[in-house]
Amino acid sequence: EGYSERRVASILKIPKTAVHKNKVKQHTLGTTKLQTGRGRKRLSTDRDDCQLIRMSLSNHRMTSSDLQKEWQMPAGVKCTARTVRNRLLGPGLKSCKARKKTFINEKQRRVRLRIAKDRKDWTVEDWSKVVFSDESNFQLCPTPGRLMVRRRPEEAYKPQCLAPIVKCGGRLVMIWGCFSKAGIGQICLCEGCMNQAKYKVVLEENLLPSALTMFPNSEDCFFQQDNDPCHTARSIKVWMEDHQIKTLSWPAQSPDLNLIENLWNVIKREMDGYKPSNKAELHEFLHQEWHKVTQHQCERLVESMPRCMKAVVEKRGYSTKY
C-alpha cells in the first residue's frame, strides 16, 4: 500500500527491524513462514521422549530435576529441568498440586470395592430409604489455609496483611446431624469428646424424632453411620436392636461416600465471612445454616449415590472425585 517500514511498524505496534526482516524474507524466499531445518536441533529423539514419559508415569512424585538426572543416565540426554517439563507438557503431564484424600489401605480398598459391587444396582428409590448421618467439627477461630494479600514489601507484618493463627486451632464445636431424600433431620451440639454413652443420648433425642418425621413407617428405612468406635460399640448395637433400627454396613475410610459431608462443606464455606465471638454464637449460626438446606439439595445428593457406587467400582475401590 506504499507505507514505509516505520509506518507499518507503528500501525502493527512491532519493532521496525521485524518489518524489515520479514520484507527481505518475502523478497528472497517468497514466503515469511519458518523454513525447515532452521533453529536449534532437538536434544532428544522421539524414542528418548517416550522413555521420559514412561519414567514420569512410573513415579508420579518425581520432580522435573529428578527426572532430568534419571533421564541423563540411560539415554545420555543432557538438558535442563525446563526442557523436561516442556517435553512432558506434550502428552499432558503437567505438575499439579496433589489432592488430599483419606488414606485407604489394601484391606479397606477390598471392602469398599465389595460393598460398591453389592450396591451398584441400587436405584435412587433404594437410596431414598437411607438416613445419612455423621459428626463434624467446626472451629471457633479457623486458621486460613491459604490467604492471599496484596501489599508493599514493608507491609509484611501489618495486622491487615497477616493470617491470624490461634493456638491449638481455637475451640472446637462438634455437631451431629442426619438427612435423607425427604429432607434434613435434627442437629445437636456434642459437648466434649464423643463416646458410646453420649452417642446413645444423641440417637435417642435426635435420630428417633428425625426418622419418625422422614419415615412414618420406620421399617422402611436404613440408618447409615461410619465405623467410629463409639458407633460400633456393643451397647450401641444392642440399642439399635431394641429400637428395631436397621443399620447399613459401611466401608471404613470412606467420607467420599457419605453424602452428609457435602452439607458440612456447604456450611463451612458459609463460615468464611462469619466471625463468632463465642460457642453460643457459633452454635446459633450452625443451626441457622443447617435449616437453610433445602429438600432439593437433599434430593440432588441422594440422586448422586448410584454414580458414587459406580465410580468406586471403576476405581477398583480407591478414592473417587466425590
Side-chain angles (χ1 to χ4, degrees):
E1 298 181 9
Y3 292 143
S4 65
E5 293 181 358
R6 189 179 301 276
R7 176 62 176 163
V8 173
S10 176
I11 295 174
L12 300 180
K13 297 180 180 180
I14 60 175
K16 177 179 174 294
T17 54
V19 178
H20 178 73
K21 288 180 179 179
N22 278 277
K23 178 182 176 182
V24 173
K25 192 174 184 180
Q26 177 69 30
H27 178 71
T28 55
L29 301 177
T31 180
T32 59
K33 294 182 179 180
L34 292 175
Q35 301 298 301
T36 57
R38 303 293 179 177
R40 183 179 178 181
K41 301 295 182 181
R42 284 175 62 93
L43 295 175
S44 60
T45 63
D46 292 340
R47 185 174 182 178
D48 295 334
D49 295 345
C50 290
Q51 185 182 23
L52 176 64
I53 294 171
R54 288 194 300 269
M55 290 167 55
S56 177
L57 293 176
S58 64
N59 186 357
H60 289 274
R61 298 186 179 184
M62 290 184 70
T63 64
S64 55
S65 299
D66 295 336
L67 288 170
Q68 181 257 334
K69 295 175 183 177
E70 292 290 332
W71 197 26
Q72 184 175 353
M73 288 187 292
V77 179
K78 296 182 179 180
C79 65
T80 63
R82 168 61 67 181
T83 301
V84 171
R85 291 193 290 270
N86 291 339
R87 292 291 190 273
L88 295 177
L89 284 177
L93 294 173
K94 183 180 179 181
S95 178
C96 304
K97 185 177 180 180
R99 302 290 177 87
K100 293 183 179 180
K101 282 287 187 177
T102 306
F103 173 74
I104 301 173
N105 59 34
E106 183 60 24
K107 180 180 178 181
Q108 293 163 350
R109 183 194 70 83
R110 291 196 298 266
V111 174
R112 278 170 56 92
L113 181 59
R114 176 178 56 80
I115 292 179
K117 286 182 176 180
D118 293 341
R119 298 171 187 165
K120 65 182 179 64
D121 295 327
W122 280 29
T123 63
V124 175
E125 183 179 356
D126 296 325
W127 287 110
S128 64
K129 300 177 182 179
V130 178
V131 178
F132 296 90
S133 71
D134 199 10
E135 301 92 359
S136 184
N137 291 321
F138 294 85
Q139 288 188 356
L140 188 61
C141 299
T143 300
R146 185 181 181 185
L147 181 63
M148 305 296 293
V149 296
R150 198 176 302 278
R151 59 171 176 80
R152 300 183 182 91
E154 63 273 11
E155 297 176 338
Y157 294 99
K158 287 187 66 175
Q160 299 88 344
C161 301
L162 296 176
I165 298 176
V166 180
K167 190 175 182 180
C168 300
R171 288 175 289 179
L172 289 175
V173 171
M174 179 181 287
I175 299 293
W176 179 93
C178 65
F179 88 102
S180 70
K181 188 181 179 182
I184 59 173
Q186 297 184 8
I187 63 169
C188 70
L189 174 65
C190 305
E191 295 287 354
C193 296
M194 181 68 77
N195 54 36
Q196 53 184 307
K198 293 181 180 179
Y199 187 58
K200 188 184 298 183
V201 174
V202 169
L203 296 178
E204 290 177 349
E205 296 180 355
N206 298 276
L207 174 62
L208 294 180
S210 300
L212 188 61
T213 302
M214 299 175 190
F215 306 96
N217 184 5
S218 59
E219 296 180 357
D220 293 339
C221 69
F222 295 90
F223 178 59
Q224 179 273 332
Q225 59 181 357
D226 58 24
N227 295 304
D228 190 273
C230 67
H231 297 173
T232 57
R234 182 175 300 178
S235 61
I236 300 299
K237 293 180 179 179
V238 173
W239 185 90
M240 295 285 186
E241 294 176 358
D242 293 341
H243 290 80
Q244 298 180 350
I245 296 178
K246 294 180 288 187
T247 58
L248 200 64
S249 60
W250 206 252
Q253 299 291 85
S254 300
D256 55 339
L257 301 182
N258 193 349
L259 299 180
I260 200 171
E261 295 291 345
N262 296 274
L263 298 183
W264 295 140
N265 289 334
V266 170
I267 296 177
K268 287 178 180 179
R269 284 197 298 268
E270 294 296 328
M271 277 192 62
D272 290 344
Y274 181 74
K275 297 181 179 179
S277 57
N278 51 56
K279 282 189 176 183
E281 290 186 7
L282 177 57
H283 184 238
E284 180 64 24
F285 172 81
L286 296 175
H287 191 269
Q288 293 176 1
E289 291 299 323
W290 175 257
H291 286 85
K292 288 182 182 179
V293 177
T294 63
Q295 184 176 349
H296 178 67
Q297 288 177 285
C298 299
E299 291 175 353
R300 290 288 301 275
L301 287 174
V302 175
E303 289 171 358
S304 69
M305 273 310 290
R307 298 194 297 272
C308 290
M309 293 292 110
K310 183 179 178 181
V312 175
V313 175
E314 292 177 350
K315 295 291 184 180
R316 305 299 300 169
Y318 290 108
S319 297
T320 65
K321 67 176 182 179
Y322 293 97

